[in-house]
Amino acid sequence: MNALVKKEIRLLLPAWITAMLLIIAPIPLGLLMDGTYNTGTTKMLSIFGVGIGCVVLGLAGFGREVTSKTLSLLLAQPRPREELWRAKVGVLLASLIPPAIYLGLAGRHFVPPSERWVLALTWFITSSVAVTGGLWTTLLFRQLVASFWIS
């Protein structure tokens, strides 16, 4: 494994754990005391968790580099910038696969069949917008907190 990819994995790991907790938490919280399942609250919390978790993932790649002031040093290295971009985005996309699998399995188990495609599309659009919003606002503002709130 490339050293750049290892560095990106270490950089995204805390954000990935946070995102997974935000995505996993609404599903058990939706179970009611009598064993039935509250789909309205759970859908709302899961969409919120997907959005916030994906924003955190989108911010983590460049945001922690900007905050620790190592992005300019990384860009000054005698290495093609495409390689840096591919490593960062590749690890970010790979980190989105486990939440997608979990949401697919949770959707099959907890969501009624008539609402599965609508909720899956909502999760996909929310995660896409959140990740790309986190990426471009981090690069635009060069501040992690401002990027989070604007995303």
Side-chain angles (χ1 to χ4, degrees):
M1 186 181 300
N2 191 357
L4 183 61
V5 173
K6 285 181 185 178
K7 180 190 76 78
E8 288 304 316
I9 291 172
R10 282 193 313 266
L11 195 67
L12 280 179
L13 189 61
W16 184 80
I17 292 171
T18 303
M20 285 300 290
L21 287 175
L22 284 169
I23 291 170
I24 290 172
I27 304 299
L29 292 176
L31 289 173
L32 299 176
M33 296 299 277
D34 60 353
T36 61
Y37 196 70
N38 184 1
T39 58
T41 306
T42 304
K43 283 193 292 187
M44 181 195 64
L45 287 175
S46 68
I47 291 169
F48 179 75
V50 167
I52 297 297
C54 289
V55 166
V56 168
L57 275 174
L59 291 171
F62 284 104
R64 291 186 61 194
E65 298 267 354
V66 168
T67 302
S68 62
K69 297 185 181 3
T70 58
L71 184 63
S72 59
L73 296 172
L74 193 61
L75 293 175
Q77 298 295 320
R79 162 177 266 176
R81 290 186 181 179
E82 292 110 17
E83 184 179 333
L84 171 72
W85 182 258
R86 282 191 188 118
K88 285 189 169 294
V89 173
V91 171
L92 178 63
L93 291 177
S95 71
L96 290 173
I97 292 172
I101 291 171
Y102 175 77
L103 288 172
L105 292 174
R108 282 188 58 88
H109 186 66
F110 292 113
V111 178
S114 62
E115 298 177 11
R116 285 184 188 156
W117 286 107
V118 174
L119 192 60
L121 184 63
T122 306
W123 281 335
F124 176 74
I125 290 173
T126 303
S127 63
S128 300
V129 168
V131 168
T132 56
L135 279 174
W136 77 263
T137 55
T138 304
L139 294 173
L140 179 67
F141 296 118
R142 306 273 175 157
Q143 293 179 356
L144 191 62
V145 175
S147 300
F148 176 78
W149 288 110
I150 290 176
S151 293

